[in-house]
Amino acid sequence: MGNFRERISLVEYGSSKNLTKEISKKLGVDKSNVDLLLNNAGKRIASLLNLSENPIINGENGYRAIKFAGLVRLSPSLELEVAPKFLGLDETDSTWREDFFYLSFLSSHGQLLAFEKLSSSGGVSRGLPTLVAHALVCMYDEVKRRPLRTYRKVYSEDFFLDGEPEPIDLIFPSSEGFKQEVIRFDRVNEWNSNILAATNILLPQVQDPGVMGRLLRLRSDLSPQRNFSHVSRKKVPPRHRSWNSIHALSVDILNGLGLHYNQGLASAPGYVISTWRVWEDLVTIAVRLGFGAHFVSSQKQFLLGRRERLDSYSKTKISVYPDCIIESNGKRPRVIVDAKYKGHIEKRRLRIDESDIYEALAFSRASKCGKVVLIYPAAPCEDQIITGRCTVFERINIDDIEVIGVQVEVRCISKEGGLNQFALNLCEGISSIIG
């Protein structure tokens, strides 16, 4: 069991909070050391997520967090927790934490959803461990016909010569046989060891008998393995690059990123994500699930214009890349769907920023599509939670172009069937909005 740690919490883009006194009391250090602790943590996060500024800001009224969410270790006994702005921070209900890690895994490993279908049986548990386990076994089924085998040296004793014995051992063999060095080509290696270890972690947490049976078969295929003292992050050999995804997921499982989120028992030094990227990935995944991948093009390039430099007489293209283009199915018109995160909830007002309007107009003109739906995460409120519920908060009409601002409820997406409900409600909402 890990060492117990206390936790302090903030909400991304939320109100400033005086953390200095609280941390000083918990750690027994003065204000300057607290400021240094938080500043260094912010720098580490900025470096990890490639942010241009420190995301932990010290203002007149205290500290606030921007542009990230997650869990950061400040000291061996203290953690800083930052909740995404669209999930909020509920001290009495930890569901938001499950939602957060659910979304984090979907964003980090888009292949987790490659095997999720909207028609999935309602009786099948779709908790996070089951989802991850299901993805792991499906990935394995795709690559198992090309086993990840490598060469290794093995020292053995046998009267049957299979390797290179020392000359002296031929004259004076041991009771077990000749000592010899053998080169084997098999599955015993550090990458398969990681996958097997991740499988063993998942097995006790999976309740679905079907998924559990497939995990047991995976374990049988890869056993036995040597016990390595640490989790290997070495790249999979190029000839086995098809195993990259399953190995990357296994490493995350071994690092405890998301399967458990209990206070004080986080096994990794920290786990942070860029929230806008998670939101963009979620919207793209949900639109593909709801409308069907064959109707949706994501990040498709459209030519907006050309740039000409008069000093060098060079010409370059100006292109735009909307998140999703949903093609018409005969009943529903063609529409652009673009995920928006910044400039909305944190400003405490329901309006589309001018910069988002200009970008939407560029998307519309380049793609020759007259309707643009901007999807924002809904701020947590006291209303009944309906995952995926869409609410229009603004419509902007410029000539024949309509830009529609929509906020979407995200909470409880980690519950059983939550992702399906989010995708269906989002797509039904978009269809009804654009008429």
Side-chain angles (χ1 to χ4, degrees):
M1 180 175 291
N3 295 325
F4 185 84
R5 305 186 194 99
E6 293 191 80
R7 180 175 294 165
I8 55 176
S9 302
L10 291 174
V11 178
E12 180 197 22
Y13 292 106
S15 302
S16 298
K17 186 176 180 181
N18 186 357
L19 299 179
T20 305
K21 186 181 296 185
E22 187 177 355
I23 296 177
S24 296
K25 184 178 178 180
K26 291 181 183 295
L27 298 183
V29 297
D30 58 23
K31 180 182 182 300
S32 60
N33 283 326
V34 171
D35 292 339
L36 182 62
L37 206 64
L38 290 168
N39 185 55
N40 288 340
K43 287 181 178 179
R44 293 199 309 270
I45 295 166
S47 175
L48 182 66
L49 300 180
N50 295 319
L51 302 177
S52 59
E53 59 181 324
N54 192 321
I56 301 178
I57 300 173
N58 185 9
E60 293 182 1
N61 299 320
Y63 284 92
R64 66 193 297 258
I66 63 172
K67 298 183 179 180
F68 85 99
L71 188 67
V72 185
R73 186 184 299 178
L74 297 178
S75 77
S77 60
L78 185 65
E79 301 166 340
L80 171 65
E81 171 185 65
V82 178
K85 63 183 181 180
F86 54 86
L87 295 178
L89 183 65
D90 191 333
E91 299 292 349
T92 61
D93 185 358
S94 63
T95 301
W96 75 266
R97 295 189 178 101
E98 299 298 325
D99 291 343
F100 167 71
F101 272 105
Y102 188 95
L103 295 175
S104 303
F105 260 94
L106 299 190
S107 178
S108 300
H109 302 281
Q111 59 267 37
L112 289 181
L113 290 183
F115 313 101
E116 285 289 305
K117 306 297 181 184
L118 286 174
S119 58
S120 296
S121 169
V124 178
S125 170
R126 291 298 176 195
L128 183 55
T130 300
L131 174 66
V132 176
H134 189 225
L136 191 76
V137 294
C138 288
M139 290 180 194
Y140 177 71
D141 287 344
E142 285 195 335
V143 298
K144 68 181 181 181
R145 293 187 179 182
R146 297 191 63 186
L148 203 171
R149 293 184 291 195
T150 55
Y151 290 99
R152 64 188 179 101
K153 289 182 180 180
V154 178
Y155 295 92
S156 64
E157 293 182 0
D158 200 317
F159 285 105
F160 176 76
L161 290 179
D162 188 31
E164 296 183 3
E166 292 292 336
I168 190 66
D169 293 327
L170 291 174
I171 301 173
F172 302 104
S174 69
S175 59
E176 300 294 328
F178 303 111
K179 293 181 180 179
Q180 49 192 307
E181 181 183 272
V182 181
I183 303 297
R184 299 206 186 283
F185 182 62
D186 56 22
R187 302 187 191 207
V188 179
N189 54 61
E190 52 202 308
W191 301 286
N192 282 329
S193 179
N194 284 346
I195 298 170
L196 180 63
T199 301
N200 289 331
I201 287 176
L202 287 170
L203 268 170
Q205 305 177 53
V206 173
Q207 303 299 319
D208 182 0
V211 177
M212 189 181 299
R214 296 172 71 185
L215 280 176
L216 289 171
R217 285 194 293 273
L218 190 161
R219 185 171 71 174
S220 175
D221 287 350
L222 297 185
S223 297
Q225 292 289 331
R226 289 182 294 167
N227 292 323
F228 291 89
S229 58
H230 62 281
V231 178
S232 173
R233 292 185 175 273
K234 283 177 60 178
K235 290 185 177 180
V236 176
R239 65 181 179 276
H240 294 299
R241 57 182 175 271
S242 59
W243 287 75
N244 276 327
S245 295
I246 186 172
H247 182 254
L249 177 57
S250 299
V251 169
D252 274 357
I253 294 168
L254 293 175
N255 286 330
L257 303 185
L259 298 182
H260 289 294
Y261 196 85
N262 298 320
Q263 179 164 351
L265 299 180
S267 59
Y271 184 45
V272 292
I273 58 168
S274 181
T275 42
W276 72 267
R277 173 64 68 184
V278 170
W279 177 244
E280 181 181 291
D281 290 346
L282 174 63
V283 171
T284 301
I285 288 167
V287 167
R288 282 181 170 274
L289 284 174
F291 287 110
H294 54 289
F295 281 113
V296 179
S297 300
S298 58
Q299 296 292 328
K300 185 176 180 180
Q301 180 181 10
F302 292 96
L303 179 64
L304 179 63
R306 298 184 183 277
R307 185 197 307 271
E308 182 177 355
R309 292 188 59 85
L310 300 181
D311 54 349
S312 60
Y313 301 101
S314 62
K315 294 182 180 181
T316 57
K317 296 179 180 179
I318 301 175
S319 299
V320 293
Y321 303 83
D323 290 338
C324 296
I325 293 280
I326 304 171
E327 300 297 339
S328 172
N329 64 352
K331 300 177 182 178
R332 178 192 65 246
R334 189 166 179 253
V335 61
I336 297 171
V337 173
D338 201 60
K340 295 297 176 187
Y341 192 79
K342 297 182 291 185
H344 180 57
I345 296 175
E346 63 274 15
K347 294 187 177 181
R348 303 294 193 274
R349 53 182 178 173
L350 294 176
R351 67 183 299 272
I352 302 174
D353 284 354
E354 278 70 19
S355 60
D356 292 340
I357 297 173
Y358 304 148
E359 186 180 49
L361 292 176
F363 289 160
S364 176
R365 179 169 179 175
S367 63
K368 297 180 174 56
C369 181
K371 290 188 180 292
V372 183
V373 178
L374 305 182
I375 307 292
Y376 295 82
C381 62
E382 299 299 325
D383 295 345
Q384 180 185 3
I385 298 176
I386 302 176
T387 307
R389 177 176 56 191
C390 297
T391 306
V392 177
F393 64 86
E394 190 169 26
R395 289 180 183 266
I396 297 173
N397 291 282
I398 301 174
D399 296 331
D400 58 344
I401 300 172
E402 184 177 27
V403 181
I404 307 168
V406 177
Q407 58 176 350
V408 185
E409 178 62 71
V410 189
R411 290 175 296 171
C412 295
I413 194 170
S414 64
K415 292 186 179 296
E416 183 176 329
L419 178 62
N420 290 349
Q421 183 182 5
F422 180 87
L424 287 172
N425 287 343
L426 173 64
C427 295
E428 287 176 2
I430 292 173
S431 297
S432 63
I433 289 166
I434 62 177

